[in-house]
Amino acid sequence: MSAKVLVVLTSHDTLGDTGKETGFYLPEVSHPVAVFDKAGLSVQYVSPKGGKAPMTGIDLNDPLNKAFLDNPEKVAQVENTLRPEQIDPAEYNAIFYAGGHGTMWDFPDNASLSRIATAIYERGGVVGAVCHGPAGLVNVKLSNGEYLVADKIVSCFTNEEEAAVELSQVVPFLLESKLIERGATVEKAPNFQAKVFASDRLVTGQNPASAMGVAERMVELLAQSTSVLSSTVSA
């Protein structure tokens, strides 16, 4: 049986008080899922509310986006996500938090998702997140009471990048600052350049350009920790 990855998508579709729509950012799903598919991993989706997850970043000039949206099975999966209470963490080898600004509102305080991540990690699984996806990590605690990110090196959408897209005053908190507050050290590249960091079995990426790299590193770690993968993907 292949290893199984749980991909977490936001259910939140409103960008603060701007009147603009938000959701998960498609390339931060289509690019990693292409890597997971190539490695033979099984992918399932969960969101805080279940059902159809709101999507942004629909650029059909991106071939991986187009391939994803042209696949009826994949579209059906993101339009029919599971609810957290439907998930048995013991069935999954890894969890991956996709980004998109919506995550900043509904990932941090979802205790059910946090429990799933803790269970997967403490069973020896891999936790990954990209861009704003690490919002799902800010309140995840291990069974010893410590934050998962404490004393780890992470990457995430930076304060400088948030300022560059003029949303510093819109998001409920600055992700980089919150992760530092939780005891993490943030490694970062210049704005919108790829940056991926693996700290133990926690793999994080800075922005959309980092999404594929996060998935590749997750596959490498899974291949090292389980015999169910027949091959690895080079970073």
Side-chain angles (χ1 to χ4, degrees), residues 8-12 22-23 28 48 95-111 113-115 117 127-141 147-149 154-158 162 171-180 182 184 186 202-207:
V8 189
L9 306 178
T10 181
S11 298
H12 190 84
T22 189
E28 295 173 18
I95 184 170
F96 172 73
Y97 290 87
H101 272 92
T103 65
M104 296 289 286
W105 280 269
D106 67 352
F107 274 12
D109 296 320
N110 192 292
L113 287 175
S114 293
R115 284 193 292 270
V127 175
V130 70
C131 198
H132 288 92
L137 305 176
V138 299
N139 289 322
V140 175
K141 288 187 176 181
Y147 286 109
L148 171 62
V149 299
V154 301
S155 294
C156 68
F157 202 69
T158 66
E162 206 69 81
V171 292
F173 60 92
L174 292 174
L175 183 53
E176 177 188 342
S177 296
K178 182 66 72 173
L179 289 166
I180 291 170
R182 296 299 193 237
V186 175
L202 175 63
V203 185
T204 47
Q206 182 170 322
N207 44 38

Side-chain angles (χ1 to χ4, degrees), residues 11-33:
S11 298
H12 190 84
D13 63 1
T14 305
L15 191 59
D17 297 324
T18 65
K20 297 179 180 178
E21 295 181 351
T22 189
F24 77 86
Y25 195 68
L26 178 58
E28 295 173 18
V29 174
S30 64
H31 290 209
V33 167

Side-chain angles (χ1 to χ4, degrees), residues 45-81:
Y45 296 85
V46 66
S47 66
K49 293 182 179 179
K52 185 174 181 177
M55 181 191 305
T56 62
I58 305 172
D59 176 7
L60 296 182
N61 292 318
D62 179 328
L64 293 180
N65 280 354
K66 187 175 188 305
F68 190 96
L69 294 177
D70 285 346
N71 186 316
E73 182 180 349
K74 294 188 186 304
V75 173
Q77 283 185 298
V78 299
E79 291 185 348
N80 297 276
T81 63

Side-chain angles (χ1 to χ4, degrees), residues 1 13 48 92 110 128 143 157 159 166 178 183-184 194-195 223 226-227:
M1 190 175 80
D13 63 1
Y92 299 89
N110 192 292
S143 55
F157 202 69
N159 291 353
E166 300 182 346
K178 182 66 72 173
K195 180 69 178 181
T226 178
S227 61

